Amino acid sequence: GHYGRATKEAVQTFGKKKTATAVAHCTRGKGLIKVNGQPIELLQPEILRWKVLEPIILLGRARFAHIDIRIRVNGSGHTAQIYAIRQALAKAVVAWNQKYVDEATKKEIKDLLIHYDRSLLVADPRRMEPKKFGGSGARARMQKSYR
C-alpha cells in the first residue's frame, strides 16, 4: 500500500466469519472491486460468488461507481471467506457514505442491508468448539460397550 498520503480519501473495514478475516480498503475511484488482487467476477467457487455480489446488486452498481474497493482475505475455508468478504464489502460502503457522503444515505444503505441479511453488517460470533479427549470431536464420544 501507499502510506503517508493523507489527502487520499479512504476507509478501511473488515468482515469476519469463523476464523476468516477480510479487510476492505475503500478509496475514491471508478468502481473497481478486487479480492486478493483479482476482480470480484472471477471469485471461486462461483455458486458463492453471488453471495459476494449481493450487497452490490442490493444497493445498485451506482453506489459503487465512484469508489474502488480492494479486499484481502485469509483464514478458514471458502465459504467463511465469502461471508467475510461480503461483510467487509457491505461495511465499507456504509463507512464510506458516513464519512464522505451523508448520514441519510448511510442510514438508507444500512437499513437496506440489515433488512436483507443481518450478517452483512453484524459479525457472526460462532466459532469452532475445541475438541476434547475421549472422542473424535467437541461433543462426540467413544461408544461404550459392556461385554
Side-chain angles (χ1 to χ4, degrees), residues 39-107:
I40 199 164
E41 284 80 19
L42 298 180
L43 210 56
Q44 293 296 327
E46 63 265 29
I47 306 136
L48 291 169
R49 192 177 301 152
W50 291 107
K51 278 292 196 202
V52 175
L53 295 172
E54 263 172 9
I56 300 164
I57 295 162
L58 209 59
L59 300 171
R61 276 279 181 190
R63 295 217 198 270
F64 293 85
H66 50 268
I67 54 181
D68 285 352
I69 300 177
R70 283 190 299 285
I71 302 173
R72 286 191 311 281
V73 61
N74 65 337
S76 220
H78 285 152
T79 312
Q81 286 192 352
I82 298 284
Y83 276 92
I85 291 168
R86 66 203 278 266
Q87 194 184 347
L89 193 62
K91 279 172 146 179
V93 183
V94 172
W96 178 267
N97 281 281
Q98 184 170 23
K99 205 164 165 186
Y100 301 117
V101 188
D102 56 25
E103 197 56 44
T105 317
K106 182 210 116 176
K107 181 144 175 43

Side-chain angles (χ1 to χ4, degrees), residues 8-19:
K8 192 99 163 103
E9 298 142 299
V11 290
Q12 197 175 4
T13 54
F14 63 91
K16 283 184 167 165
K17 172 87 167 115
K18 293 191 177 168
T19 54

Side-chain angles (χ1 to χ4, degrees), residues 21-33:
T21 314
V23 180
H25 264 296
C26 184
T27 54
R28 207 171 269 290
K30 50 189 192 302
L32 287 176
I33 298 175

